[in-house]
Amino acid sequence: MDFVLIQLLNGLASASALFLVAAGLSLIFGVTRIVNFAHGTLFMLGAFVAYSLSQRLGFWAAVPVAALAVAAVGALMEVGLLRRLYRAPELLQLLATFAVVLVLDDLILMAWGPADVLGPRAPGLAGAVRVLGQPIPAYELFLVAVGPAVLAVVWLLLTRTRFGILVRAATLDREMVAALGVDQKRLFTAVFALGALLAGLGGALQVPRQAIHHGLDLEVIVEAFVVVVVGGLGSVPGAYLAAVLIAELNAFGIVLFPQGTLVLMFLVMAAVLVLRPQGLLGRPETPEPRPAAAEPAPAPSGRAGLVLAILAVGGVAAAPLLLGGYGQGILAEILLFALLAASLQFVTGQGGMVSFGHAAWFGVGAYAAAMLHTRLDAGMAVSLLAAPLAAAAAALAVAWFLVRLSGVYLAMLTLAVAQILYAATFQWYEVTGGDNGILGVWPSGWAAGATGFLYLSLGLCAPALAALWWATRTPFGFGLRAGRDSPLRAEAAGVPVRRQRWLGFSLAAAAAGLAGGLYAYLKGSVFPDALGIPVSVDALVMMLLGGIHSFGGAIAGAVAYKLAQVTLISATDFWRLGVGMLILVLVLAFPQGLAGAAGRLAALRHRGGKAA
């Protein structure tokens, strides 16, 4: 009984902090329809600001000031950036918020340094209180009460004030609210500031409870996404219910089922999405009249594209004449990430299936190749052949459930699948080596050098890219696009939309798995982070930089992103700031991506030539 009580209260205390982040995230999505990837960074910013202010103002004065400071940052983010992107595709908005994460991460690093910080104890709540004879930290009990108190305040705000009525109305029908004369700009700014304030408050309240570190934002945003999806997008009560469920699951799971702790909450999210996609207290998603993603401006003709592809292959083949071993290694890495980005473009751009967990197939391919190579002593050829086959088999097994969903629900289910696989590789030491990874994945002698491995990567990636491109030009590819643009009309015309999407997802997974197998041999090892969120985000960034509906654009985006990353990493410790600013410039100046910008330039030249 004592154990149950202590774990129950610990779970409720954790649920309060998780609820504050998830409630803000849910409010922002409900009104603006933006999946704010930077919300966890706002939480982390609130913690660091409260830590600094508590040394001067005292902890209790620092908490509200830190929350208001984060609210101001959120309002500035909405006015200066996101307000320009409300009519843009959802994925472009996600890319912009990811760029904000990169910028804020390095600004926080500059201000507070790389070391973890420990905040002061909360004055007046530093001791313990006995509950049923058991000593419970007083601050934990305070946090237990914070969640319901904030829920009550937000509920009263949303149900008893004019602002709350407008927020609820905008959640249901933004277009009607605008037609009634409500100033959407002010409403969106206020909602974004309120959501940021809740995140900042949650971060500030964590200062006496745990060490504040620079990976906190990623930890929090992943759990917040789970809570928001399980509770129901746009539902604040649902966020609290789900926060309690997930926090208690973690509190008891870490003691009763330590080997499966990481996977439990994602299994819950996956089950909810399959059985009740709108979440426990959410409403079914209703499509809005917004652009899915405008097609890029006219691209080069088929002949011109073929010439460009031949020149690119020839340039890579000639690279050893100009580049040393390091440069050739970078080029080989660019090739396999170009294949990863192109495979995601095939799923998202061609098939309309947004994936936040594409690293799952990349990681499955990497682990399949590594395990065959080290555990079964298979040769490199066999291991690399197994990589795409294993990824395709894994996708075939789960994609039938994935393709039943669409939009943000599909994206979140792909994230759940990727995190389940990540947790399995991280904790299954007997098979995967856990966080120690699998070492000694070395290529065969002829490919062990930089030049040999570059030619190996070119010899596998170029045909795989050509096969994906060819698939987009076949009846199968046209059927995928038909299902993306109008599923009902496609079904009426005899296109088996769900089967097409299932097979298309699996084909893209095979390509990503091949990239993962090459990655294992390039690095000589594989670790669970091959399936992690950063890899999925990198693939999304590459695809969106190039242009979501351009196959060649995804390749160009991979080249541009990896070159910018490598260049800035070698030039400065604060490379994330540079990459983030570059992404923001590209998002605002070229919303259709590099391919769209190149297409518009070609169209302008063509019109200029005709006029002359």
Side-chain angles (χ1 to χ4, degrees):
M1 181 63 186
D2 296 343
F3 161 76
V4 172
L5 175 64
I6 291 173
Q7 293 305 110
L8 178 66
L9 292 175
N10 285 337
L12 289 176
S14 298
S16 291
L18 194 52
F19 164 67
L20 289 174
V21 185
L25 187 64
S26 189
L27 276 174
I28 290 172
F29 178 83
V31 174
T32 67
R33 293 299 186 269
I34 287 179
V35 179
N36 181 22
F37 200 81
H39 208 68
T41 309
L42 296 177
F43 174 92
M44 182 173 70
L45 179 62
F48 274 106
V49 171
Y51 163 77
S52 293
L53 291 178
S54 62
Q55 299 173 353
R56 301 175 183 175
L57 306 177
F59 174 72
W60 293 115
V63 168
V65 175
L68 290 172
V70 174
V73 172
L76 182 63
M77 177 180 164
E78 192 277 338
V79 172
L81 174 63
L82 297 175
R83 183 174 291 183
R84 306 166 188 267
L85 300 174
Y86 284 126
R87 294 293 178 180
E90 290 177 355
L91 279 178
L92 198 67
Q93 298 165 354
L94 178 71
L95 178 60
T97 62
F98 171 70
V100 172
V101 170
L102 295 178
V103 171
L104 288 179
D105 274 353
D106 265 2
L107 291 178
I108 291 172
L109 186 62
M110 290 178 187
W112 284 279
D116 295 0
V117 297
L118 290 171
R121 291 184 178 274
L125 295 176
V129 176
R130 288 196 170 272
V131 178
L132 299 181
Q134 294 299 313
I136 306 294
Y139 192 72
E140 295 289 294
L141 294 177
F142 167 75
L143 289 180
V144 169
V146 165
V150 173
L151 174 62
V153 171
V154 173
W155 181 81
L156 289 173
L157 179 67
L158 294 179
T159 58
R160 296 292 187 268
T161 66
R162 182 175 183 274
F163 171 76
I165 293 172
L166 293 178
V167 168
R168 287 186 290 123
T171 302
L172 296 174
D173 193 335
R174 287 190 300 169
E175 301 300 325
M176 182 59 70
V177 170
L180 292 174
V182 175
D183 187 343
Q184 279 194 324
K185 292 181 179 179
R186 292 178 60 184
L187 177 64
F188 287 6
T189 303
V191 168
F192 215 96
L194 175 59
L197 183 142
L198 291 173
L201 178 62
L205 290 174
Q206 287 299 102
V207 170
R209 195 167 184 255
Q210 67 176 91
I212 309 303
H213 58 90
H214 288 275
L216 188 61
D217 56 344
L218 186 59
E219 293 177 8
V220 168
I221 193 61
V222 171
E223 290 190 347
F225 277 146
V226 173
V227 167
V228 168
V229 170
V230 171
L233 290 164
S235 171
V236 174
Y240 183 73
L241 176 62
V244 171
L245 174 63
I246 297 301
E248 293 296 350
L249 193 67
N250 288 336
F252 285 95
I254 199 169
V255 177
L256 301 176
F257 190 41
Q259 293 300 314
T261 305
L262 292 177
V263 79
L264 284 177
M265 67 176 177
F266 294 103
L267 285 173
V268 170
M269 183 169 81
V272 169
L273 283 170
V274 170
L275 300 175
R276 186 178 170 83
Q278 68 269 29
L280 298 177
L281 299 182
R283 296 184 179 88
E285 188 178 33
T286 55
E288 292 198 30
R290 59 179 295 151
E295 292 284 352
S301 65
R303 181 174 296 179
L306 179 61
V307 171
L308 287 174
I310 292 173
L311 289 175
V313 171
V316 174
L321 300 176
L322 303 172
L323 300 176
Y326 176 74
Q328 292 175 47
I330 295 298
L331 192 53
E333 187 170 351
I334 288 174
L335 280 172
L336 64 93
F337 272 99
L339 180 56
L340 176 64
S343 67
L344 179 59
Q345 193 279 334
F346 186 83
V347 165
T348 303
Q350 304 294 326
M353 296 173 282
V354 180
S355 174
F356 285 178
H358 206 60
W361 324 121
F362 181 84
V364 167
Y367 268 96
M371 291 170 69
L372 279 173
H373 183 96
T374 59
R375 306 290 167 80
L376 300 180
D377 202 23
M380 183 179 71
V382 174
S383 299
L384 286 176
L385 176 63
L389 295 178
L396 282 169
V398 301
W400 186 252
F401 300 99
L402 295 174
V403 300
R404 293 174 62 249
L405 305 177
S406 62
V408 71
Y409 298 116
L410 168 61
M412 289 301 174
L413 186 53
T414 61
L415 174 65
V417 169
Q419 289 300 107
I420 288 170
L421 291 173
Y422 168 82
T425 58
F426 191 86
Q427 294 188 307
W428 200 359
Y429 280 87
E430 298 80 3
V431 176
T432 66
D435 57 349
N436 294 321
I438 299 176
L439 308 177
V441 190
W442 303 117
S444 301
W446 66 270
T451 301
F453 194 83
L454 175 61
Y455 286 142
L456 170 67
S457 301
L458 179 63
L460 292 178
C461 290
L465 287 168
L468 280 178
W469 177 84
W470 174 79
T472 66
R473 265 63 181 173
T474 62
F476 174 76
F478 292 131
L480 267 181
R481 289 204 291 275
R484 174 198 72 191
D485 296 334
S486 183
L488 294 178
R489 291 184 181 180
E491 289 279 6
V495 177
V497 172
R498 185 174 295 180
R499 189 179 69 184
Q500 295 277 91
R501 297 175 74 186
W502 179 45
L503 295 176
F505 212 104
S506 303
L507 176 60
L514 176 58
L518 284 168
Y519 185 77
Y521 279 101
L522 174 67
K523 298 299 182 182
S525 59
V526 61
F527 294 92
D529 57 6
L531 300 101
I533 291 175
V535 175
S536 295
V537 171
D538 279 352
L540 276 169
V541 170
M542 293 170 193
M543 178 191 70
L544 292 169
L545 282 179
I548 189 172
H549 281 306
S550 171
F551 185 83
I555 300 172
V559 173
Y561 182 70
K562 293 303 290 187
L563 284 178
Q565 195 177 59
V566 169
T567 302
L568 289 168
I569 286 175
S570 62
T572 175
D573 291 334
F574 303 109
W575 62 271
R576 294 177 185 83
L577 177 62
V579 172
M581 295 302 294
L582 177 62
I583 292 173
L584 289 177
V585 169
L586 290 173
V587 164
L588 295 174
F590 307 110
Q592 290 180 319
L594 298 174
R600 288 199 303 273
L601 182 60
L604 288 173
R605 287 180 177 176
H606 181 67
R607 287 199 294 270
K610 281 188 173 183

